[in-house]
Amino acid sequence: MTFRSRLAFVAVLAVFGLDAASAGAVPLLPHKASYRLSLDGSKPSGQLEEMNGEIQYEITGDACAGYSTLTRQESLASTGEGSPLRQAVTSTAWEDGAAKAYRFLSTSTGDDGADKIEASVERQGPDALKVTVTQPAARTLDLKGDILLPTEHVKRVLAAAAAGESVLEAKVYDGANDPAKVYETLAVVGRPSTDERRIAAPAKESLAGRTFYPVTISYFETGGVDRAPAYVMNMQLYDNGVVGSLKIDYGKFALVGAMSTFEALKAPEGCAK
């Protein structure tokens, strides 16, 4: 079994055609967080008997310097036949604060082998991206359409939530699994809350009093949102970009992520954007 995913809250954390500043959104909080992964027992999982692991996530920077992210996901899956299958995916990325440039390196290791994807992206106007792939083989890709980059997507979701918007379709690119792939996404934002009883214990001090939204983002292969999604992410998304909890539904099985550690990092100073 190959298990590969990169959190869209950057990932995932990601849309509504609004500018974040115009909607009064707060800056993204530089932070580190980790999430324990376990199989969702409420959903049938077929031959998969057990799966667990961890997501480690870090974001630093701001709209002036750009945003640097690190995402590492490790998993251990058991089907009851043979040894458990291990996989680790690590993705490092930098995105320009104005979403005009993006570069990333994604590495995957596991029982089924190892691979690496490295590329840089330049925005060629409002409806085109130029992707220069350096690994595994050099090539250039021209992607057409109004396509959002990962952190840009997060900021758009937060801007829409702050403006009272609730639904949006958008194209999103992160490239970590396939440098040529653009996902169609459908985001649904629920009602805001400040219920401190729902703050994960590691982040209580940092997130006390902050607004969060229940957000569901469905990711579809190219062709539109009228088909079954490749996967669906449900998350508790705070107005500063922190994800409190999450669930990733792959159709045949689903994983639940519970925050296990959290550390707020010092934000850069002097950025007026």
Side-chain angles (χ1 to χ4, degrees):
M1 173 184 293
T2 297
F3 176 64
R4 303 198 61 189
S5 69
R6 178 166 183 260
L7 285 181
F9 61 72
V10 173
V12 77
L13 283 160
V15 125
F16 294 82
L18 298 174
D19 177 75
S22 67
V26 297
L28 299 180
L29 176 70
H31 67 279
K32 295 180 181 178
S34 61
Y35 303 83
R36 291 188 304 272
L37 295 176
S38 59
L39 198 62
D40 182 1
S42 67
K43 182 181 178 68
S45 56
Q47 295 181 333
L48 188 60
E49 289 189 352
E50 184 178 1
M51 189 169 191
N52 53 59
E54 182 181 56
I55 291 174
Q56 299 171 358
Y57 175 73
E58 179 177 343
I59 181 170
T60 57
D62 57 22
C64 296
Y67 302 94
S68 296
T69 58
L70 168 63
T71 307
R72 179 173 175 80
Q73 183 164 327
E74 299 176 323
S75 63
L76 181 66
S78 175
T79 61
E81 300 180 1
S83 301
L85 302 177
R86 299 178 182 273
Q87 181 129 18
V89 180
T90 301
S91 180
T92 57
W94 174 86
E95 184 177 324
D96 172 54
K100 294 181 179 180
Y102 174 61
R103 56 179 180 265
F104 66 90
L105 171 63
S106 177
T107 59
S108 174
T109 58
D111 296 328
D112 56 352
D115 60 76
K116 180 180 295 186
I117 299 174
E118 185 175 25
S120 59
V121 180
E122 294 182 5
R123 193 172 294 283
Q124 307 282 295
D127 58 356
L129 296 177
K130 179 181 179 181
V131 181
T132 302
V133 182
T134 52
Q135 295 192 65
R139 57 176 170 154
T140 300
L141 305 168
D142 292 313
L143 305 179
K144 302 300 183 181
D146 183 7
I147 303 169
L148 301 180
L149 298 177
T151 303
E152 179 185 21
H153 192 199
V154 175
K155 293 169 71 175
R156 295 290 184 86
V157 167
L158 293 174
E165 301 287 342
S166 60
V167 178
L168 161 116
E169 294 182 27
K171 294 181 179 180
V172 178
Y173 177 86
D174 90 357
N177 292 342
D178 180 348
K181 178 168 288 187
V182 175
Y183 280 104
E184 303 275 355
T185 70
L186 176 65
V188 178
V189 180
R191 293 184 177 181
S193 176
T194 56
D195 186 353
E196 296 189 4
R197 295 172 298 178
R198 297 181 59 185
I199 301 176
K204 280 192 177 295
E205 182 177 344
S206 297
L207 299 180
R210 300 218 71 98
T211 298
F212 66 85
Y213 305 88
V215 175
T216 299
I217 305 178
S218 300
Y219 292 80
F220 302 84
E221 304 287 350
T222 301
V225 299
D226 57 349
R227 61 182 66 188
Y231 64 97
V232 179
M233 296 191 66
N234 295 276
M235 68 191 83
Q236 180 181 323
L237 181 62
Y238 283 83
D239 62 359
N240 57 3
V242 174
V243 172
S245 61
L246 68 147
K247 176 181 174 180
I248 312 173
D249 190 334
Y250 292 95
K252 294 183 178 180
F253 67 94
L255 296 175
V256 176
M259 182 186 287
S260 54
T261 66
F262 181 85
E263 178 185 356
L265 304 176
K266 185 177 180 180
E269 298 179 354
C271 181
K273 295 183 182 180

